[in-house]
């Protein structure tokens, strides 16, 4: 029997929709699966009830009986109410199994008849609750689900705690949630079973808040606004959703400097204690909320003479956090600051900013406060804001520069120079640098509604195109308009043709066209004396030539690195430094590539160039992965993906690289999911360039997962795409060896050799030594499949030595593993120690697990020489190569697992292949295959 109270959960409580709680949800579910109990705790609005309902829905089906209660503050004074919720519907089932005194006490407590109390019937009630749970558990597992433990009536809480501490091995589990601040959950933990796992729910990250808002329908919020929602809510999901709802009800988003609208539901939650403050203390707190880094010294300088006493009063009311180790004055929660600021009259807010405009020591802060204390246009204020924006830009704070630039534009008179729109465009370019592409695009499109000057219009169009990221197909209609605006100005045309080069590469997938457009852009920029545009075009041309395997690539790199250089281009992710890094990486110069990308990453972090940081973090991860440092690569890739999700930049590329890192050193299932995400994003964006990279990552992950057939399918698509793109350098994606290995596994050694031969020709022409060594490793597998064991061993030994010399640790370990597999076919003991040592050094955990499995089973994971050819028959002639091999092994009596081991494919692939064999031969089972073989031999 299962008793549920409102147990049919809404869709939003499903485990897959518990946003940002994957790890703790898994930990809690595992604890429940082991028979333990769980206590969820955290502050109000943090999502405890959502997680609790999801866990109950996910795990509750395994319990025979589910008892539920959910307390409220208004009912917490009613004795035994929670007890009635828990046992009211099962009392008839268990009452006859309780001793008379216990039954009487429990019935009296649940029904209200007899005026039962803990003081009078304490022992009988305590034992009755314990006996009731044991009686229910005798028929099957019991799950007690209790929400908001802090509001449980004291009598029910005491009785439940008494029973929980004495359940022992009785199959009764508690799943509870309680509101706490800090670590104040100890008393609730003491009232829980001894094996209870306490799980604290922490604030969501900015990316998780963004996902939450999107899931609830608030999809049109700019990223800068989402960032402010995250800051104001403190990562609290309830607060974030309420702020999102309030913004969604407004016709326009807040302008820079304007507070977020705080809905009444949250104002009532956080402002009730403000009524207990004096008027002067409230004004002091307003100054605190307006300041960026308020201290008591700053408050004194802003005219708040009694700041110490007034902040102490606020701290006593829980409005301010105490900071015993530092001078900062900080609100207990950012929402208190936002609500206080939003509640204050505009006049008082301007007065607070005016005081801070002279009290603050930082010139950027003084300029911001001056702007927020001033109404209307003022050229002097605008000039100070523009200077502050330039200072912020130099400090590597482009987001701050964008905000200040927009404030400067607002205060700039229409007839002043620089004009307001010129300052807006500079702010938009700063926003692009900061990764706030939504804000940049909106500002640029606003300027385009009134701009008439060609230079302004082209500059605005460039922002719109840059904001599209990889989805350049979405702005196809822009190119004719911007070409018309550029006219015959070579400097403006250079910028347009640079973007056309990117379109040719990403949208059309035409490297030759992209190279030609980039070269033309460089020529136009030189004529227009725009050195920055010339360097960007040359860098793009060089990168394209590197990927194409074009012979002019080294010369173009030298041109892009020639003085005079531009500091911005030098460290940009599409600049000359990046082109040089790509050349080093593809030329097997891993130490130089690592030092180059590390220096670039350091510089873009200093400058606050978010998009470049995302890409450079990913490229550093790629370098570490090639070097065989899988653990380090995985950490870097995950950080790159986190930053990409947070900023909305480079998501597909970061997912692709993280998939490779996960397949090499982390979780293969996660690798497959990320690779498919990368493929989906590339297809959605129409990005031909990254689609091939994403498919290559998927193919590699499938190979590591043991799905050779799936890997062949994915990597064949890569081959077709890159042939169409004109990419000939095998060092670009390094997928050829994986495709050849997968083809051998599925019984297509001839096609594998064709792949190797084509790739080797290009690798020899370009001097790609590591690629040649990997191809030799793959060819050794082909030779082994064809029966040339000695030749395969010799080639693998040579490949392993060369890969070790070049510093490709993971590829070296894979060669050692393949060598151990080949030797395992010979008589005598086989050692996988060398492969295990090398994989362990790389922290290549998925590969290490394969080594352990091969050593434990004592069977080769690669296919041995093909079985003796099956005598010809009309039926078998119609089977594919893999199908014939599987059928032949079935005829020999091999099980599906043995076939999978001998052909180095998964059991699922064997099953799928057999299904096709049955269909083609018109039979129903493997027994029919054996009969078919017997009949053929009888002939």
């Amino acid at each position: 029997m299962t008793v549920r109270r409102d147990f049919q959960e809404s869709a939003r409580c499903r485990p897959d929709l518990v946003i940002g709680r994957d790890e703790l949800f898994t930990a809690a579910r595992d604890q429940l699966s082991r028979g333990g109990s769980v206590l969820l705790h955290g502050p109000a609005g943090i999502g405890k009830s959502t997680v609790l309902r999801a866990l109950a829905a996910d795990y509750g089906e395994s319990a025979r009986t589910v008892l539920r209660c959910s307390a409220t503050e208004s009912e917490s004074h009613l004795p035994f109410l929670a007890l009635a919720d828990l046992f009211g519907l099962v009392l008839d089932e268990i009452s006859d199994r309780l001793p008379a005194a216990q039954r009487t006490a429990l019935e009296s407590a649940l029904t209200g008849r007899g005026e039962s109390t803990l003081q009078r019937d304490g022992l009988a009630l305590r034992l009755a609750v314990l006996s009731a749970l044991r009686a229910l558990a005798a028929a099957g597992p019991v799950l007690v689900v209790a929400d908001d433990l802090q509001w449980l009536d004291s009598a029910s809480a005491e009785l439940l705690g008494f029973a929980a501490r004495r359940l022992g091995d009785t199959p009764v589990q508690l799943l509870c949630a309680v509101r706490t601040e800090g670590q104040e959950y100890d008393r609730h933990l003491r009232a829980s079973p001894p094996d209870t796992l306490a799980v604290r729910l922490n604030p969501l990250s900015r990316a998780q808040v963004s996902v939450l808002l999107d899931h609830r329908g608030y999809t049109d919020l700019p990223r800068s606004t989402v960032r402010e929602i995250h800051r104001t809510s403190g990562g609290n999901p309830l607060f974030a959703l309420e702020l999102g709802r309030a913004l969604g009800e407004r016709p326009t988003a807040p302008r820079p400097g304007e507070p977020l609208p705080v809905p009444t539901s949250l104002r009532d939650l956080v402002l009730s204690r403000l009524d207990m403050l004096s008027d002067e203390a409230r004004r002091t707190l307003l100054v605190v909320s307006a300041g960026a880094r308020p201290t008591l010294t700053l408050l004194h300088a802003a005219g708040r003479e009694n700041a110490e006493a007034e902040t102490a009063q606020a701290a006593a009311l829980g409005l301010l956090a105490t900071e015993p180790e530092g001078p900062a004055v900080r609100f207990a929660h950012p929402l208190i600051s936002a609500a206080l600021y939003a509640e204050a009259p505009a006049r008082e807010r301007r007065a607070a900013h005016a005081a801070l405009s002279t009290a603050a020591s930082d010139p950027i802060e003084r300029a911001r406060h001056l702007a927020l204390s001033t109404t209307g246009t003022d050229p002097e204020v605008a000039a100070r804001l523009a200077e502050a924006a330039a200072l912020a830009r130099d400090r590597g704070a482009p987001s701050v520069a964008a905000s200040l630039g927009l404030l400067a534009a607002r205060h700039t008179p229409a007839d002043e120079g620089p004009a307001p729109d010129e300052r807006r465009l500079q702010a938009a370019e700063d926003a692009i640098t900061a990764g706030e592409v939504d804000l940049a695009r909106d500002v640029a499109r606003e300027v385009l509604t009134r701009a008439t000057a060609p230079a302004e219009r082209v500059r605005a169009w460039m922002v719109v195109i840059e904001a599209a990221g990889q989805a350049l197909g979405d702005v196809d209609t822009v190119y004719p308009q911007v070409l018309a605006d550029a006219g015959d100005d070579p400097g403006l045309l250079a910028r347009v043709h640079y973007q056309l080069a990117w379109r040719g590469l990403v949208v059309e997938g035409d490297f030759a066209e992209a190279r030609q457009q980039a070269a033309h852009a460089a020529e136009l920029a030189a004529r227009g004396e725009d050195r920055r545009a010339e360097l960007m075009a040359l860098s793009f041309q060089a990168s394209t030539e590197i990927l194409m395997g074009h012979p002019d690539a080294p010369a173009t790199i030298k041109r892009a690195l020639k003085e005079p250089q531009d500091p911005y281009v030098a460290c940009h992710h599409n600049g000359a430094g990046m082109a040089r890094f790509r050349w080093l990486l593809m030329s097997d110069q891993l130490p130089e590539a690592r030092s180059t990308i590390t220096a670039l990453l350091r510089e873009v972090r200093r400058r606050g160039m978010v998009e470049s940081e995302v890409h450079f973090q990913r490229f550093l991860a790629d370098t570490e992965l090639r070097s065989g440092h899988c653990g380090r690569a995985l950490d870097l890739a995950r950080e790159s993906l986190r930053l990409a999700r947070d900023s909305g930049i480079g998501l597909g590329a970061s997912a692709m690289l993280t998939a490779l890192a996960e397949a090499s050193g982390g979780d293969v299932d996660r690798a497959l999911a990320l690779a498919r995400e990368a493929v989906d994003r590339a297809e959605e964006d129409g990005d031909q360039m990254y689609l091939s990279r994403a498919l290559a990552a998927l193919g590699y992950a499938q190979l590591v997962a043991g799905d050779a057939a799936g890997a062949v399918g994915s990597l064949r698509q890569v081959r077709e795409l890159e042939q169409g793109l004109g990419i000939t350098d095998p060092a670009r994606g390094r997928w050829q060896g994986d495709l050849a290995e997968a083809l051998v596994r599925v019984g297509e050694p001839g096609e594998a050799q064709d792949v190797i031969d084509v790739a080797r020709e290009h690798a020899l022409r370009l001097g790609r030594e590591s690629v040649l060594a990997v191809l030799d490793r793959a060819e050794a597998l082909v030779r082994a499949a064809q029966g040339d064991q000695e030749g395969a061993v010799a080639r693998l030994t040579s490949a392993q030595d060369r890969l070790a010399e070049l510093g490709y640790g993971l590829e070296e370990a894979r060669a050692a593993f393949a060598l151990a597999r080949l030797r395992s076919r010979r008589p005598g003991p086989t050692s996988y120690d060398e492969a295990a040592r090398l994989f362990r050094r790389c922290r290549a955990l998925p590969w290490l697990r394969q080594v352990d499995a091969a050593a434990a089973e004592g069977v080769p994971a690669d296919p041995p020489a093909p079985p003796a050819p099956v005598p010809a028959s009309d039926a078998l002639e119609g089977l594919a190569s893999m199908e014939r091999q599987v059928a032949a092994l079935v005829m020999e009596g091999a099980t599906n697992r043995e076939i999978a081991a001998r052909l180095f494919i998964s059991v699922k692939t064997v099953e799928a292949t057999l299904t096709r064999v049955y269909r083609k031969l018109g039979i129903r089972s493997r027994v029919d295959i054996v009969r078919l073989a017997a009949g053929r031999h009888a002939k």
Side-chain angles (χ1 to χ4, degrees):
M1 172 185 178
T2 301
V3 177
R4 292 181 174 82
R5 186 175 184 192
D6 299 330
F7 196 61
Q8 295 300 318
E9 304 297 342
S10 62
R12 68 193 182 105
C13 296
R14 295 201 321 265
D16 57 321
L17 298 182
V18 180
I19 293 167
R21 308 297 190 192
D22 296 345
E23 291 186 11
L24 68 85
F25 189 90
T26 300
R29 186 170 54 191
D30 290 346
Q31 170 75 357
L32 292 169
S33 299
R34 291 191 295 267
S37 296
V38 173
L39 176 67
L40 306 170
H41 65 99
I46 202 67
K48 302 179 299 297
S49 297
T50 300
V51 175
L52 179 127
R53 289 194 296 268
L55 283 167
D58 186 57
Y59 183 73
E61 295 297 335
S62 63
R64 178 185 179 274
T65 305
V66 178
L67 308 176
R68 298 178 64 87
C69 69
S70 182
T72 63
E73 184 177 11
S74 62
E75 298 171 340
S76 60
H77 66 286
L78 300 174
F80 304 122
L81 181 61
L83 199 67
D85 285 345
L86 291 171
F87 294 105
L89 297 179
V90 297
L91 183 60
D92 292 341
E93 179 188 351
I94 59 173
S95 60
D96 59 348
R97 284 180 274 172
L98 303 180
Q102 295 179 22
R103 180 172 64 250
T104 300
L106 185 59
E107 288 177 346
S108 177
L110 296 184
T111 62
R113 296 190 298 270
E115 298 182 357
S116 178
T117 65
L118 272 181
Q119 287 73 23
R120 190 178 66 188
D121 302 319
L123 180 59
L125 271 174
R126 288 174 171 83
L127 294 175
V129 171
L130 180 59
S131 297
L133 290 172
R134 286 173 173 166
L136 289 170
V142 176
L143 177 66
V144 178
V145 182
D147 199 3
D148 284 317
L149 282 184
Q150 74 278 1
W151 303 132
L152 237 63
D153 63 275
S154 57
S156 296
E158 166 61 26
L159 293 171
L160 194 58
F162 175 87
R165 292 189 296 270
R166 291 165 174 80
L167 286 169
D169 295 332
T170 306
V172 177
Q173 298 168 263
L174 271 65
L175 172 59
C176 305
V178 62
R179 180 187 301 180
T180 59
E181 297 295 338
Q183 300 297 314
E184 303 166 4
Y185 64 92
D186 287 349
R187 66 185 181 89
H188 298 286
L189 193 60
R190 287 194 295 271
S192 302
D195 61 347
T196 298
L197 173 68
V199 178
R200 178 170 178 80
L201 276 70
N202 291 313
L204 299 180
S205 69
R206 190 196 309 175
Q208 290 164 347
V209 165
S210 178
V211 172
L212 177 65
L213 292 168
D214 285 346
H215 174 63
R216 296 300 175 87
Y218 307 121
T219 55
D220 297 327
L221 298 175
R223 290 195 173 274
S224 55
T225 303
V226 173
R227 181 185 61 197
E228 189 62 19
I229 289 175
H230 176 258
R231 187 194 67 79
T232 303
S233 68
N236 184 296
L238 173 64
F239 297 169
L241 286 172
E242 287 296 297
L243 290 168
R245 181 180 60 79
L247 280 166
E249 293 172 353
R250 283 179 50 138
T252 58
R255 295 188 300 176
E258 286 185 345
L260 288 180
V262 181
T264 304
S265 58
L266 295 185
R267 292 192 192 193
D268 294 343
L269 181 66
V270 300
L271 294 181
S272 58
R273 286 169 286 181
L274 286 173
D275 295 337
M276 304 173 68
L277 290 174
S278 65
D279 289 343
E280 287 302 309
R282 189 162 179 154
R283 291 191 185 96
T284 295
L285 288 194
L286 179 59
V287 176
V288 174
S289 70
R293 294 174 295 277
T295 63
L296 289 173
T297 302
L298 178 65
L299 293 175
H300 284 303
R304 309 311 302 167
E305 297 177 355
N306 299 315
E308 284 90 347
E310 290 161 353
T311 54
Q313 181 188 3
L317 292 171
L319 295 166
L320 293 178
T322 56
E323 295 282 356
E325 299 179 358
V329 179
R330 184 171 60 85
F331 282 94
H333 193 282
L335 190 61
I336 300 174
S337 173
L340 172 65
Y341 189 90
E343 192 79 2
R347 175 180 52 80
E348 292 187 11
R349 290 205 299 263
R350 287 196 297 272
H353 286 296
L356 288 168
S357 69
T358 57
S361 59
D362 185 81
I364 293 177
E365 271 303 290
R366 289 199 301 271
R368 185 178 74 87
H369 289 302
L370 178 62
L372 296 175
S373 66
T374 306
T375 57
T377 59
D378 186 321
E380 183 179 346
V381 172
R384 285 186 58 181
L385 284 164
E387 291 171 2
L391 180 58
R393 198 175 303 119
D394 291 342
R395 287 182 180 179
S399 179
V400 175
S403 177
L404 292 169
L406 292 175
L407 286 172
R410 189 194 307 175
H411 289 284
T412 302
D415 56 351
E416 285 286 324
D421 280 345
E422 186 176 342
R423 283 176 167 157
R424 288 188 181 92
L425 287 173
Q426 178 61 64
E429 290 165 354
D430 287 330
I432 285 285
T433 302
E436 297 179 4
V437 293
D438 295 334
L439 174 63
R441 182 183 55 246
D442 292 345
V443 170
R445 288 198 177 277
E446 178 194 348
V447 170
L448 283 166
T449 61
R450 54 179 174 266
T452 57
E456 268 192 0
R457 292 188 62 79
V458 170
R459 188 177 179 186
W461 285 125
M462 292 299 103
V463 171
V464 172
I465 294 172
E466 288 281 351
Q470 296 298 113
L472 290 177
D474 293 348
V475 291
D476 254 352
T477 57
V478 165
Y479 297 101
Q481 299 178 63
V482 70
L483 278 169
D485 285 332
D488 56 1
D489 185 312
L492 298 180
L493 284 170
R495 298 186 182 189
V496 181
H497 282 279
Y498 174 75
Q499 294 296 346
L500 285 170
W502 274 106
R503 183 189 177 281
L505 183 63
V506 174
V507 179
E508 300 296 336
D510 191 334
F511 271 68
E513 171 66 15
R515 175 181 176 271
Q516 183 178 347
Q517 288 282 6
H520 186 39
E523 294 171 5
L524 288 167
R527 282 165 45 197
E529 298 182 349
D530 187 339
R531 183 60 175 165
R532 173 174 290 190
E534 181 186 7
L535 289 171
M536 289 296 290
L538 285 170
S539 300
F540 181 75
Q541 180 185 343
S543 293
T544 307
E545 290 172 349
I546 292 169
L547 296 174
M548 293 173 69
H550 197 283
D552 291 349
T556 308
I557 292 175
K558 288 182 180 178
R559 289 176 62 199
L561 292 171
K562 191 176 180 180
E563 296 293 340
Q565 282 293 308
D566 181 289
Y568 174 82
V569 177
C571 65
H572 192 274
H573 60 279
N574 291 320
M578 183 60 218
R580 179 174 179 272
F581 161 76
R582 184 174 277 115
W583 174 261
L584 291 169
L585 189 67
M586 295 174 68
S587 301
D588 298 327
Q589 301 178 59
L590 295 181
E592 294 87 345
R594 182 185 294 107
S595 61
T596 298
I597 199 66
T598 301
L600 287 169
L601 180 59
R602 187 184 307 116
E603 179 62 15
V604 297
R605 282 175 173 166
R606 187 187 72 80
R607 289 172 170 266
M609 299 168 67
V610 174
E611 183 172 8
S612 294
E613 181 181 356
V614 170
H615 292 301
F616 289 160
Q617 184 100 356
R618 173 171 59 87
F619 283 123
L620 180 56
D622 191 11
T623 307
E624 297 294 356
L625 193 58
R626 295 186 187 212
S627 303
H629 306 151
C630 297
R632 170 72 172 151
L634 185 58
D635 291 341
L636 289 165
R638 286 174 175 172
E639 176 60 22
S640 171
L641 184 59
R642 184 202 64 76
L643 186 60
R645 294 199 192 284
D646 194 35
S647 64
I649 295 171
L651 274 168
S654 293
M656 174 274 296
L657 197 282
T658 309
L660 290 172
E662 290 283 0
S664 298
D667 183 281
V668 179
D669 289 337
R670 190 178 297 132
L672 290 166
L674 286 169
R676 292 189 177 102
E677 176 188 339
V679 170
D680 290 344
R681 287 189 178 278
E683 290 177 337
E684 182 181 337
D685 290 343
D687 185 346
Q688 298 298 306
M689 183 175 64
Y690 266 109
L691 179 57
S692 66
R693 296 297 309 275
L695 285 166
L698 177 59
Y700 173 69
Q702 289 168 322
L703 186 68
V704 177
D707 181 10
V712 167
S714 298
L715 296 174
R716 278 175 174 163
Q717 291 183 67
V718 177
R719 180 176 59 187
E720 293 171 7
L721 279 169
E722 294 206 350
Q723 285 174 350
L725 290 168
I727 298 173
T728 60
D729 192 337
R732 188 238 182 186
R734 305 177 68 87
W735 49 267
Q736 294 84 356
D738 291 336
L739 175 55
E741 182 173 338
L743 286 165
V744 171
R745 293 189 188 185
V746 300
E748 299 291 348
E751 184 182 346
Q753 188 63 56
D754 291 341
V755 170
I756 293 166
D757 291 343
V758 171
R760 180 177 284 128
E761 180 183 351
H762 294 298
L764 285 168
R765 174 174 59 87
L766 296 167
R768 304 299 191 228
E769 293 298 329
S770 65
V771 174
L772 290 168
V774 169
L775 293 174
D776 281 354
R777 184 188 69 205
E779 188 169 30
L781 302 180
V782 174
R783 292 193 176 193
Q786 294 171 339
D788 182 7
Q789 300 294 311
E790 295 303 323
V793 168
R795 187 151 292 226
L796 274 175
T797 303
S798 171
Q800 180 182 344
D801 292 343
R802 286 148 56 205
L803 288 166
E805 185 178 348
L806 291 166
Y808 284 78
L810 181 59
E811 301 289 7
E812 175 195 358
R814 288 180 63 179
F817 189 23
L819 194 57
R821 288 168 173 158
L822 283 182
R823 287 171 173 163
S824 69
R825 298 181 188 139
R826 299 175 176 179
T830 299
S831 174
Y832 287 90
D833 291 347
E834 174 70 359
R837 180 185 69 80
L838 292 173
F839 281 131
R840 195 173 294 112
R841 183 185 68 183
C842 295
R843 285 183 58 192
L845 302 182
W847 286 105
L848 190 58
R849 284 190 284 271
Q850 288 193 32
V851 173
D852 292 342
E857 292 176 9
V859 297
D862 272 328
V870 178
S873 75
D874 293 339
L876 296 184
E877 282 295 331
L879 298 182
S881 172
M882 171 60 72
E883 294 164 353
R884 287 197 302 272
Q885 290 188 60
V886 170
L889 289 172
V890 170
M891 292 172 184
E892 294 175 11
T895 66
N896 286 1
R897 185 173 296 280
E898 290 169 343
I899 294 170
R902 291 177 64 178
L903 297 182
F904 204 15
I905 57 179
S906 68
V907 174
K908 285 186 177 180
T909 302
V910 174
E911 293 169 350
T913 304
L914 280 174
T915 300
R916 293 195 300 272
V917 169
Y918 299 156
R919 185 177 67 250
K920 290 182 178 181
L921 297 183
I923 59 180
R924 296 183 178 181
S925 69
R926 57 192 297 125
V927 174
D928 292 332
I929 296 179
V930 175
R931 287 173 178 165
L932 181 65
R936 186 175 62 246
H937 288 306
K939 293 177 183 177

